[in-house]
């Protein structure tokens, strides 16, 4: 098996019409890229490189990561001599990825990275998460390299980035016992040690994913007497320098292979990333956007895994002399699961393309900013629904640990919680709702579709999406009719957010269907959901 080549959607998005331009932009963004011996000669050669690496990754995830998932779930990590020890399967996964040269996907080549665009990073994350979401969380934290690459001094880049390509694991240490989503309340102290020419970290971090990693990005209070986000700075800490104790590993419901730790820093030496006082305001916000795309990719990978488990079981399970996939009720479940997966994936790759364009386009950066919370919200919620429906298709068997769907169900639940809960994603979307950015983007998608040649079924889907758009417009006007956005926060925020998300995903799938008719059914389902969501939302705020 190969988890890349057996999934037509991945090749479909890798060969999207915009990918040639994105590949060219990626190479042109780094002056040395054209002189590097491994740099592709043109966009076509770059996409061939992407395809080759994804084929290798797809083979490893199918042959090694997926077979290890069950044993990793049972064994989990443990503490030994003050250090976290991964489950045996996790260790094998990591070593295989390192030997294959698959770390540092988005790093510049001068740091030994592959210099791939964000589209490839999320595609890799999705593929790995289909095999094991727990391992995907460890893998995905290499996104810390992007923050170092973008904001750290040249000295820190030269010291740490080649290590990440070499397989050094990473963590981002943000949360504390009294500072979860409210990161302005972080209290871990950072004081400058003039004699050693470094900062010293003292305090506790909690719920830190991959908490005993080799390299840590740590949010700490550098300004004495401060109490808000303006007193926080960002630091890099090397586990090899000492000063860190792992107090415990949390006993979690799911993603058991990924160690979630409570950490105690005691005079731990660390180095400032970027400028003081910008830790939360600038650097964490940048990292969190990347992390939310990463969680979205994990959620889509789990959606895909749940679909395949349900489809395979429904095809083989006989009841009343027929396979259960012949029954309408089961067909409805399978159709909804596949449509959710397609919809979330269409939104994910649209957002990733905008992120890749954002380095040279402010309009693309603005679109990426408004789409990112939608990806995190919808993909994570869909993963929970797909995992639930996967068990439902299995019936009583799905409640048994011998079936993978039970693990998928447990693993899915955290996806709508970490890196910002679904509720926080709705809050993040409020500004774009209130200022009309989402409505403008929907209208732009409508113009793009209107310029395409559509068949009769596609025209019907477009009519449904336009109906949903008018429903969203009416919702927006009603929620803001008193001249303020108070109603958005009080009654309509979630309803409006989900309505616009379904509408946007419907348009994206409709455009995808002009390149492949396999997306027609999902586009139709998603468009109808957009209309249903707008009607339900209007009833809620009437």
């Amino acid at each position: 098996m190969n988890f890349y080549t057996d999934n037509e959607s991945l090749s479909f998005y890798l060969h999207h019409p915009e990918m040639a331009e994105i590949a060219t932009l990626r190479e042109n963004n780094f002056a040395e890229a054209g002189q590097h011996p491994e740099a592709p000669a043109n966009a076509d050669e770059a996409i061939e490189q992407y395809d080759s690496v994804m084929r290798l990754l797809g083979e490893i995830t199918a042959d090694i990561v997926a077979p290890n998932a069950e044993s990793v779930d049972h064994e989990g990590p443990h503490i030994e001599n003050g250090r976290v020890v991964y489950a045996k399967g996790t260790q094998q996964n990591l070593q295989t990825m390192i030997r294959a040269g698959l770390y540092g996907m988005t790093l510049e080549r001068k740091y030994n990275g592959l210099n791939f665009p964000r589209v490839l990073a999320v595609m890799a994350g999705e593929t790995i998460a289909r095999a094991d979401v727990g391992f995907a969380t460890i893998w995905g934290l290499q996104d810390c390299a992007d923050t170092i690459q973008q904001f750290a001094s040249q000295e820190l880049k030269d010291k740490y980035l080649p290590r990440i390509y070499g397989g050094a694991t990473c963590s981002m240490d943000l949360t504390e016992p009294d500072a979860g989503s409210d990161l302005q309340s972080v209290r871990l102290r950072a004081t400058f040690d003039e004699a050693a020419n470094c900062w010293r970290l003292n305090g506790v971090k909690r719920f830190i994913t991959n908490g005993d990693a080799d390299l840590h990005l740590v949010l700490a209070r550098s300004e004495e007497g401060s109490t808000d986000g303006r007193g926080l700075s960002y630091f890099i800490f090397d586990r090899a320098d000492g000063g860190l104790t792992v107090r415990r590993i949390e006993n979690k419901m799911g993603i058991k292979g990924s160690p979630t730790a409570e950490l105690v820093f005691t005079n731990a030496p660390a180095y400032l990333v970027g400028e003081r006082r910008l830790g939360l305001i600038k650097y964490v916000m940048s990292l969190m956007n990347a992390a939310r795309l990463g969680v979205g990719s994990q959620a889509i990978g789990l959606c895909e895994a749940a679909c395949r488990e349900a489809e395979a079981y429904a095809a083989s399970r006989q009841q009343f002399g027929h396979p259960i996939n012949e029954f309408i009720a089961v067909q409805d479940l399978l159709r909804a699961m596949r449509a959710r997966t397609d919809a979330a994936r269409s939104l994910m790759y649209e957002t990733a393309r905008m992120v890749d364009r954002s380095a040279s386009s402010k309009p693309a950066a603005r679109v990426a900013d408004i789409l990112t919370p939608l990806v995190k919200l919808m993909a994570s919620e869909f993963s929970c629904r797909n995992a639930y429906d996967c068990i439902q298709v299995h019936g009583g068997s799905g409640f048994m640990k011998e079936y993978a769907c039970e693990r998928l169900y447990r693993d899915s639940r955290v996806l709508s919680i970490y890196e910002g809960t679904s509720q926080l994603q709705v809050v993040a979307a409020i500004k774009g709702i209130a200022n009309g950015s989402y409505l403008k983007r929907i209208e732009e998608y409508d113009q793009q579709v209107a310029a395409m040649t559509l068949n009769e079924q596609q025209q019907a889907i477009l009519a449904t999406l336009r109906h949903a758009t008018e429903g969203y417009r009416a919702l927006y006007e009603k929620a803001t009719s008193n001249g303020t956005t108070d109603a958005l926060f009080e009654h309509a925020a979630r309803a409006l957010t989900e309505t616009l998300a379904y509408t946007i995903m419907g348009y994206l799938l409709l455009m995808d269907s002009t390149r492949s008719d396999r997306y027609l059914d999902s586009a139709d389902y998603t468009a109808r959901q957009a209309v249903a969501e707008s009607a339900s939302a209007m009833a809620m705020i009437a």
Side-chain angles (χ1 to χ4, degrees):
M1 291 183 65
N2 186 304
F3 281 6
Y4 169 68
T5 58
D6 74 355
N7 187 342
E8 294 179 14
S9 289
L10 297 182
S11 179
F12 178 84
Y13 288 112
L14 183 62
H15 292 89
H16 189 277
E18 295 180 17
M19 281 304 296
E21 183 180 351
I22 287 170
T24 301
L25 284 171
R26 184 70 190 182
E27 295 302 328
N28 290 344
N29 280 341
F30 303 102
E32 83 288 350
Q35 291 131 18
H36 195 282
E38 294 183 7
N42 51 51
D44 288 340
E45 188 174 308
I47 292 173
E48 286 180 14
Q49 284 187 5
Y50 304 160
D51 183 79
S52 177
V53 168
M54 283 304 305
R55 285 174 182 273
L56 175 60
L57 183 75
E59 182 179 345
I60 291 171
T61 50
D63 290 348
I64 296 174
V65 181
N68 281 338
E70 184 177 354
S71 67
V72 167
D73 183 61
H74 288 300
E75 181 185 348
H78 65 277
I79 297 176
E80 193 174 294
N81 298 321
R83 297 299 307 269
V84 171
V85 178
Y86 293 125
K88 293 182 181 64
T90 304
Q91 295 177 41
Q92 183 187 16
N93 297 344
L94 279 169
Q95 290 305 312
T96 304
M97 292 290 189
I98 293 167
R99 287 196 300 269
L102 293 174
Y103 264 78
M105 271 195 156
T106 58
L107 281 179
E108 297 176 49
R109 290 193 179 85
K110 67 181 179 181
Y111 303 117
N112 299 323
L114 299 176
N115 198 41
F116 282 5
R118 179 58 49 184
V119 168
L120 267 293
V122 298
M123 191 172 289
E126 174 189 344
T127 306
I128 294 169
R130 175 182 159 191
D132 182 1
V133 175
F135 181 66
T137 65
I138 298 172
W139 161 272
L141 279 162
Q142 63 179 285
D143 282 348
C144 291
D146 293 333
T147 299
I148 299 170
Q149 183 170 255
Q150 187 173 359
F151 300 116
S153 67
Q154 192 61 51
E155 180 183 1
L156 294 180
K157 292 178 187 179
D158 291 341
K159 182 176 181 180
Y160 294 115
L161 291 179
R163 286 183 56 192
I164 293 175
Y165 174 76
T169 55
C170 300
S171 73
M172 52 179 185
D173 302 3
L174 309 179
T175 306
E176 296 181 6
D178 296 318
S181 298
D182 181 17
L183 291 176
Q184 292 189 92
S185 299
V186 159
R187 297 171 61 184
L188 187 137
R189 300 187 315 280
T191 54
F192 190 67
D193 182 343
E194 292 188 12
N197 195 32
C198 69
W199 291 78
R200 299 286 180 179
L201 305 180
N202 286 278
V204 177
K205 291 291 184 181
R206 190 183 184 197
F207 294 154
I208 304 305
T209 303
N210 203 32
D212 195 27
D214 298 312
L215 302 176
H216 298 238
L217 288 178
V218 186
L219 184 66
R221 190 162 297 282
S222 59
E223 311 307 309
E224 188 174 354
S226 66
T227 57
D228 61 13
R230 290 170 294 182
L232 300 173
S233 300
Y234 217 25
F235 300 89
I236 187 167
F237 163 74
D238 187 340
R239 184 67 167 85
D241 291 338
L244 176 66
T245 301
V246 180
R247 181 177 285 175
R248 66 174 178 174
I249 299 175
E250 304 291 347
N251 185 14
K252 305 190 299 291
M253 174 192 295
I255 58 168
K256 287 181 171 289
S258 171
T260 301
E262 185 168 313
L263 310 176
V264 179
F265 291 87
T266 307
N267 289 327
Y271 300 92
L272 183 68
V273 173
E275 301 176 41
R276 288 171 64 165
R277 303 171 66 92
L278 296 180
L280 177 60
I281 298 168
K282 185 174 183 180
Y283 309 135
V284 169
M285 290 300 100
S286 174
L287 180 59
M288 287 295 285
N289 271 345
R292 286 169 179 170
L293 285 186
V295 174
S297 71
Q298 293 168 23
I300 294 166
L302 192 144
C303 280
E304 182 68 34
C307 277
R308 288 174 182 259
E309 290 290 331
E311 288 164 355
Y313 185 83
S316 63
R317 174 63 168 164
Q318 295 272 337
Q319 289 286 277
F320 307 105
H322 298 275
I324 64 172
N325 64 2
E326 293 183 5
F327 302 133
I328 296 296
V330 175
Q331 290 174 2
D332 285 346
L333 282 175
L334 296 176
R335 182 192 182 208
M337 292 173 69
R338 179 52 63 188
R340 291 185 202 118
T341 304
D342 286 344
R345 186 180 281 123
S346 70
L347 181 59
M348 165 61 74
Y349 290 106
E350 169 75 349
T351 307
R353 289 191 296 269
M354 289 297 168
V355 170
D356 283 321
R357 290 178 172 278
S358 64
S360 55
S361 168
K362 289 184 178 180
R366 287 192 289 269
V367 173
D369 283 344
I370 64 171
L371 294 185
T372 295
L374 299 189
V375 171
K376 172 64 169 67
L377 170 67
M378 303 308 293
S380 64
E381 292 290 339
F382 284 173
S383 72
C384 292
R385 295 185 204 177
N386 271 21
Y388 180 97
D389 285 348
C390 183
I391 289 179
Q392 198 70 16
V393 170
H394 282 69
S397 296
F399 202 64
M400 306 303 162
K401 288 208 175 263
E402 64 195 87
Y403 286 89
C405 56
E406 183 271 343
R407 171 172 51 82
L408 295 177
Y409 187 71
R410 288 186 287 106
D411 286 351
S412 71
R413 194 60 191 88
V414 74
L415 296 171
S416 62
I417 297 173
Y418 69 1
E419 310 307 346
T421 63
S422 292
Q423 289 69 31
L424 283 177
Q425 305 313 308
V426 172
V427 171
I430 287 292
K431 181 180 178 180
I433 294 173
N435 66 21
S437 294
Y438 287 114
L439 187 57
K440 178 183 177 183
R441 190 61 187 168
I442 290 170
E443 291 169 346
E444 289 171 351
Y445 287 135
D446 186 83
Q447 292 171 7
Q448 291 177 40
V449 172
M452 296 176 172
T453 301
L454 305 180
N455 62 30
E456 186 175 342
Q457 185 178 359
Q458 289 165 334
Q459 289 173 355
I461 294 170
L462 176 58
T464 303
L465 287 169
R466 286 175 169 169
H467 181 48
T469 301
E470 289 311 307
Y472 173 72
R473 195 190 307 274
L475 278 167
Y476 167 76
E477 291 173 354
K478 187 172 185 62
T480 58
S481 59
N482 63 355
T484 72
T485 57
D486 291 346
L488 290 177
F489 291 98
E490 292 176 4
H491 306 296
R494 182 70 178 255
L496 275 164
T497 303
E498 293 199 356
T499 299
L500 70 89
Y502 273 110
T503 305
I504 288 173
M505 292 186 294
Y507 272 107
L508 292 173
L509 284 171
L510 180 55
M511 286 187 278
D512 288 342
S513 76
T514 64
R515 293 174 53 221
S516 172
D517 60 9
R518 70 181 297 271
Y519 296 104
L520 272 172
D521 188 61
S522 292
D524 178 67
Y525 177 92
T526 305
R528 292 174 187 273
Q529 283 296 114
V531 172
E533 288 291 328
S534 67
S536 176
M538 183 61 80
M540 287 176 59
I541 64 173

